[in-house]
Each structure stands twice: as structure tokens, then as C-alpha cells.
């Protein structure tokens, strides 16, 4: 199948799937000022370059790690809010505020680890209150003392009930204790005057969103945005089924859904330009399911402060090499340079929204052909269609765009082509004008690549 068979794509701009689409976002940890990064030579120049890349990626929301160890030895206190780690988070949040990026801060990465409490048993009555106070004190310190009003979201832990990440007290299941801790946090944030300024996001589980149905049943009065994630699916249709299934579990609430992580846990593949196409296929599945946004794991390779640590999940001497952009102080040749998939991600973000100036996608629609996949957005009166080639050969398409203004006779074609000459795999080239007749156009998609067609002459 290639140019001898024309695949038809139908996009209907009159049928919105998400009226408040927030573009593409990312897991991006607040590590650039951390003592370990400084010890490895992270400089102000490195930080400026990193922020430049954040702006280039059009990030609207960053999701960083946040843990009790940043400001206390035991979670009941005393708290050291002037620790180097907390100072680092303040600086990082301030940097993001200055470039218009919001922060979705964790209320701790986990909530029931005995190391937080310094004992091997948890008190189901006292400990939720202890944890909630730590979270409220920490958020209040950042938001009230420093005016970091770009902290807009509170993430209710990472994969908290998908597996046992700590101790479950007697008489509780991993889910029922999670509910109790979340309610304690909700009450404490109200007491501190934080709750009305934050949206709670949860339950943030893997394996296609474990416990989403239970979250709707038990926490719908508290959760503002539902979320979940998955990894490693090979085919776009599998991703489409996963994305749809997660969204359908929360659809009755009318609340937004975020795909809070995604990617492929195969490092050698992530280093190839084809990973850019893989990301694009995942995003067409997410948009088709009506997700409000998605968070790639991760935007950058980053130092986690555990020098000398290696594992099969791409930790190399404490650096987690999971990003689409390498870390400036890594010991790789060309450290600080983008990986091939970076160019794809940046083009996708520009095409599908994510403007840091506050623009929002107000309508989007998706229809799949056989082995090409599409997404479309309408933003600020402009129209953009993304079409992804699922083939390893050039592929002919014909697109029909219902709802495109009849006066629109021209689209601008931007492409990501893994087999074209570097630099940028075609993304850095000037867009090619493409004629539209009767709301239709034909084109040839590059093998293993994708094209974005937009009424905007500059994305």
C-alpha cells in the first residue's frame, strides 16, 4: 500500500470533541536548580537554554516530581522550607511563570511509604492528617510566600493504586486508603485557603487508568480532572482503544480527562526519528478520545540526584534518559542537543495548540482512514489538520474538511519526514502552499512521517 492506493480522510470541524483543548504538555521535573544538578555543573546558561527549549515546545503545563524529602526528614516535621531543594523548586516555578507556563504539582509522588514516617506501621487515623498538613504547608509556602500563582493543579500522586508503592494500613485496601488520604488533603487545603485556587487531578494510574471507575464513584465531588496513562502499545488502534476506554469511564461526570503520561519503554527506539511518528500516532488517539491534554514522559532527559544509579528503565549514572531532548550536563556526545523525535514533538505542539499566550483550541475532530491517522483543531479562527502516515512507504491521501470556510483556498503544509535530509527532518523548512478545492485536497505523505496542514502561514 502506497501511492497507488488513495486513503481518504474526513474531518468535521462542526463536531467538537473537546471545547477547551489545552494542547500538548509534558512531564518536566524541577531539577535544574537542585544540588545534584549544580554539582554536575548545571549553569545559568544551561538553564536559559533549557527554558528556551520549553518555549520552543509551546508548553502550557509542566508536571514535575515533588516529594517530602525536599523539605523534611519525617513527614510530621519539622519542615525546612529553606532547604536547597525547596529553593530550587521556587526558582524553577518562577522561571516557568516568567514564560507563561503553568505547573501541575504533585501532592507528593506517593503517600504511604514507611520511609516518610520512619516506622513500619501506618496509623490510619493520624497519618492522613499528617500527610495532608505537609502537603498544605508545602503548597502554601510556594503559592503564598512567593506568589507562584502559576501552580494551578494538584496531582494526587503518581500511580498510587496501580501497585503497592507503600504500606496499606490494616482494615483498608490500597484504594480505600487512597480515598481517605485524598479527602484529608482536600479538607486541609480548604483550611489553608488553597483549594479554590487549585484543580485536583487524579488518580493518575497506569495500565489504562486503573481505578478510574472507582474514582468516579468515590471521589467525583473532589476530583476536578480525571487522568490515567499507559505505555508500549505497538499499534495506533490499540492506543485509540485505550484512550477511548479511559475517557468513557469518566464521561458521565462531564469533567475533563488528561492522558498524564505516555511513551515507549524501548530506549533504542526512542533515539530514532520514527519515535516522532509514534508520538504523533498516540496523540491522534488521545485527541480522538476527547482528552483535554496529554503529557509526554518526558520532555528532557534529567538528573534525578542518584549518581551511580543504573537500571533497565533508562537510568544512566542517575540521569533518566527518557526525554526527547538530552540533558546539558550528561556524559553523552552532544549533550544538550535534541533527539530526532524532538522536531516531531515541537511541530505537533505548534500544530495542535499549546500556545503559551493563552490561546485555546475550541473545536477538534478526528476520523481515521486505513493506515493513516488524523487530528484536527480550530483555534482562534484558524484551522489545522494533522495526518500521520502509519506506513513505511509514501502514502497517497485525499482529505475532505467539512466546516472549513468556503473562502479558504489555500493551506500551508508542514512536514516531519524521518528519511529526508537533516536538519529538522523537514520541520525547519518553510511551509509549502497547498491548493484546496471544494474543501478537499490531495497529497503524498512521507514514509514514516506526518504532515500538518494549516490556514496559518506560520505555526
Amino acid at each position: 500500500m502506497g501511492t497507488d492506493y488513495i486513503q481518504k480522510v474526513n474531518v468535521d470541524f462542526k463536531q467538537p470533541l473537546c471545547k477547551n483543548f489545552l494542547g500538548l504538555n509534558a512531564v518536566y521535573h524541577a531539577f535544574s536548580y537542585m544540588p545534584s544538578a549544580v554539582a554536575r555543573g548545571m549553569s545559568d546558561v544551561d538553564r536559559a537554554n533549557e527554558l528556551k527549549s520549553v518555549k520552543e515546545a509551546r508548553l502550557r503545563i509542566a508536571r514535575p516530581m515533588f516529594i517530602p524529602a525536599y523539605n523534611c526528614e519525617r513527614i510530621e516535621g519539622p519542615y525546612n522550607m529553606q532547604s536547597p531543594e525547596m529553593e530550587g523548586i521556587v526558582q524553577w516555578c518562577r522561571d516557568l511563570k516568567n514564560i507563561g507556563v503553568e505547573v501541575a504539582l504533585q501532592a507528593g509522588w506517593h503517600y504511604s511509604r514507611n520511609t516518610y514516617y520512619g516506622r513500619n506501621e501506618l496509623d490510619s487515623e493520624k497519618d492522613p492528617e499528617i500527610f495532608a498538613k505537609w502537603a498544605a504547608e508545602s503548597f502554601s509556602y510556594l503559592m503564598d510566600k512567593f506568589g507562584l500563582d502559576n501552580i494551578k493543579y494538584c496531582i494526587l500522586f503518581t500511580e498510587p493504586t496501580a501497585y503497592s508503592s507503600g504500606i496499606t494500613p490494616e482494615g483498608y485496601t490500597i484504594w480505600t486508603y487512597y480515598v481517605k488520604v485524598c479527602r484529608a488533603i482536600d479538607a486541609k487545603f480548604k483550611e489553608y485557603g488553597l483549594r479554590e485556587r487549585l484543580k485536583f487531578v487524579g488518580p493518575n494510574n497506569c495500565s489504562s487508568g486503573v481505578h478510574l471507575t472507582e474514582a468516579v464513584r468515590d471521589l467525583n465531588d473532589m476530583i476536578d480532572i480525571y487522568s490515567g496513562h499507559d505505555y508500549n502499545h505497538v499499534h495506533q488502534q490499540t492506543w485509540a482503544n485505550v484512550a477511548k476506554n479511559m475517557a468513557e469511564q469518566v464521561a458521565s461526570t462531564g469533567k475533563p480527562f488528561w492522558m498524564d503520561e505516555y511513551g515507549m519503554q524501548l530506549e533504542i527506539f526512542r533515539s530514532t526519528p520514527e519515535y516522532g511518528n509514534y508520538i504523533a500516532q498516540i496523540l491522534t488517539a488521545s485527541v480522538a478520545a476527547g482528552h483535554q491534554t496529554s503529557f509526554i514522559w518526558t520532555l528532557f532527559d534529567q538528573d534525578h540526584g542518584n549518581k551511580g544509579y543504573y537500571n533497565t528503565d533508562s537510568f544512566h549514572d542517575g540521569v533518566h534518559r527518557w526525554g526527547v531532548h538530552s540533558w546539558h550536563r550528561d556524559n553523552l556526545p552532544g549533550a544538550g542537543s535534541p533527539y530526532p523525535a524532538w522536531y516531531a514533538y515541537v511541530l505537533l505542539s505548534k500544530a495542535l495548540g499549546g500556545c503559551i499566550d493563552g490561546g485555546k483550541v475550541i473545536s477538534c475532530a478526528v476520523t481515521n482512514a486505513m493506515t493513516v491517522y488524523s487530528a484536527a483543531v480550530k483555534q482562534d479562527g484558524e484551522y489545522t489538520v494533522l495526518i500521520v502516515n502509519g506506513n513505511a512507504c509514501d502514502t497517497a491521501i485525499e482529505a475532505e474538511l467539512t466546516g472549513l470556510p468556503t473562502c479558504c483556498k489555500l493551506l500551508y503544509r508542514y512536514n516531519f519526514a524521518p528519511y529526508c535530509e537533516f536538519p529538522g527532518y523537514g520541520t525547519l523548512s518553510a511551509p509549502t502552499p497547498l491548493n484546496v478545492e471544494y474543501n478537499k485536497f490531495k497529497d503524498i505523505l512521507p514514509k514514516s512521517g506526518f504532515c500538518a496542514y494549516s490556514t496559518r502561514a506560520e505555526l
Side-chain angles (χ1 to χ4, degrees), residues 308-323:
Y309 180 68
Y310 297 81
N311 76 0
T312 58
D313 189 33
S314 299
F315 270 94
H316 298 266
D317 195 21
V319 177
H320 205 200
R321 292 182 188 159
W322 250 97

Side-chain angles (χ1 to χ4, degrees), residues 24-28 59 61-64 294-299 345:
L24 312 188
N25 293 295
V27 175
Y28 167 37
L59 214 63
I61 308 169
R63 178 190 157 207
S294 57
F295 291 74
I296 191 171
W297 184 283
T298 55
L299 191 63
Y345 182 84

Side-chain angles (χ1 to χ4, degrees), residues 132 135-137 139-141 143-145 149 151 184-200:
E137 288 281 347
F139 272 72
S140 179
Y141 178 76
M143 296 173 66
D144 296 327
K145 182 175 178 60
D149 54 3
I151 300 176
I185 293 171
D186 181 54
K188 189 63 66 175
F189 276 35
K190 289 176 180 175
E191 179 184 327
Y192 276 62
L194 296 165
R195 185 64 179 94
E196 65 272 16
R197 291 179 279 161
L198 292 162
K199 291 184 178 180
F200 277 10

Side-chain angles (χ1 to χ4, degrees), residues 10-72:
N10 299 295
V11 175
D12 190 349
F13 283 108
K14 295 181 179 179
Q15 297 294 323
L17 297 176
C18 178
K19 295 182 179 180
N20 187 25
F21 183 63
L22 298 179
L24 312 188
N25 293 295
V27 175
Y28 167 37
H29 299 305
F31 293 163
S32 56
Y33 291 90
M34 289 294 179
S36 61
V38 173
R40 291 199 190 207
M42 189 78 171
S43 68
D44 287 341
V45 172
D46 295 330
R47 296 182 192 102
N49 287 331
E50 191 168 280
L51 286 173
K52 181 180 178 181
S53 296
V54 171
K55 291 178 69 175
E56 183 183 6
R58 300 281 181 90
L59 214 63
R60 296 177 60 109
I61 308 169
R63 178 190 157 207
M65 177 181 288
F66 189 59
I67 57 176
Y70 289 161
N71 58 34
C72 62

Side-chain angles (χ1 to χ4, degrees), residues 218-401:
D218 299 334
L219 289 171
N220 190 53
D221 61 316
M222 195 193 80
I223 288 179
D224 300 299
I225 300 168
Y226 289 96
S227 75
H229 59 268
D230 216 328
Y231 284 90
N232 302 335
H233 298 297
V234 175
H235 200 280
Q236 193 273 354
Q237 191 56 56
T238 308
W239 275 109
N241 291 338
V242 167
K244 182 180 178 182
N245 177 262
M246 290 191 294
E248 286 180 344
Q249 290 183 68
V250 306
S252 63
T253 69
K255 295 180 178 180
F257 181 86
W258 289 1
M259 185 161 69
D260 53 57
E261 297 176 22
Y262 65 87
M264 169 60 78
Q265 199 172 19
L266 186 62
E267 185 176 338
I268 194 170
F269 175 58
R270 294 199 306 271
S271 68
T272 69
E274 282 82 357
Y275 188 53
N277 180 282
Y278 182 77
I279 291 169
Q281 292 194 37
I282 295 172
L283 293 173
T284 61
S286 176
V287 173
H291 298 174
Q292 188 177 52
T293 188
S294 57
F295 291 74
I296 191 171
W297 184 283
T298 55
L299 191 63
F300 301 108
D301 295 348
Q302 291 188 272
D303 168 44
H304 280 240
N306 48 357
K307 188 172 175 59
Y309 180 68
Y310 297 81
N311 76 0
T312 58
D313 189 33
S314 299
F315 270 94
H316 298 266
D317 195 21
V319 177
H320 205 200
R321 292 182 188 159
W322 250 97
V324 288
H325 197 292
S326 67
W327 185 51
H328 294 81
R329 290 296 162 179
D330 205 346
N331 56 10
L332 287 170
S337 300
Y339 295 114
W342 169 263
Y343 299 99
Y345 182 84
V346 169
L347 176 55
L348 290 164
S349 186
K350 290 178 177 179
L352 295 179
C355 296
I356 60 174
D357 60 3
K360 294 182 179 179
V361 174
I362 60 173
S363 176
C364 55
V366 177
T367 303
N368 284 356
M370 289 183 65
T371 55
V372 300
Y373 314 100
S374 57
V377 298
K378 178 184 175 185
Q379 179 179 6
D380 300 332
E382 302 285 358
Y383 299 78
T384 303
V385 179
L386 169 71
I387 305 180
V388 184
N389 187 2
N391 297 317
C393 59
D394 293 348
T395 299
I397 60 160
E398 179 180 86
E400 181 174 0
L401 312 179

Side-chain angles (χ1 to χ4, degrees), residues 90-112:
V90 169
Q91 291 277 19
W92 182 87
C93 288
R94 185 179 287 146
D95 284 350
L96 293 193
K97 179 178 178 178
N98 289 339
I99 62 172
V101 179
E102 296 176 347
V103 175
L105 193 65
Q106 303 278 151
W109 205 248
H110 299 288
Y111 61 94
S112 60

Side-chain angles (χ1 to χ4, degrees), residues 404 407-412 432-436 454-456:
L404 187 72
C407 61
C408 180
K409 304 296 183 183
L410 191 69
L411 293 174
Y412 295 91
T432 303
L434 187 73
N435 292 325
V436 178
S454 182
T455 55
R456 291 182 284 170

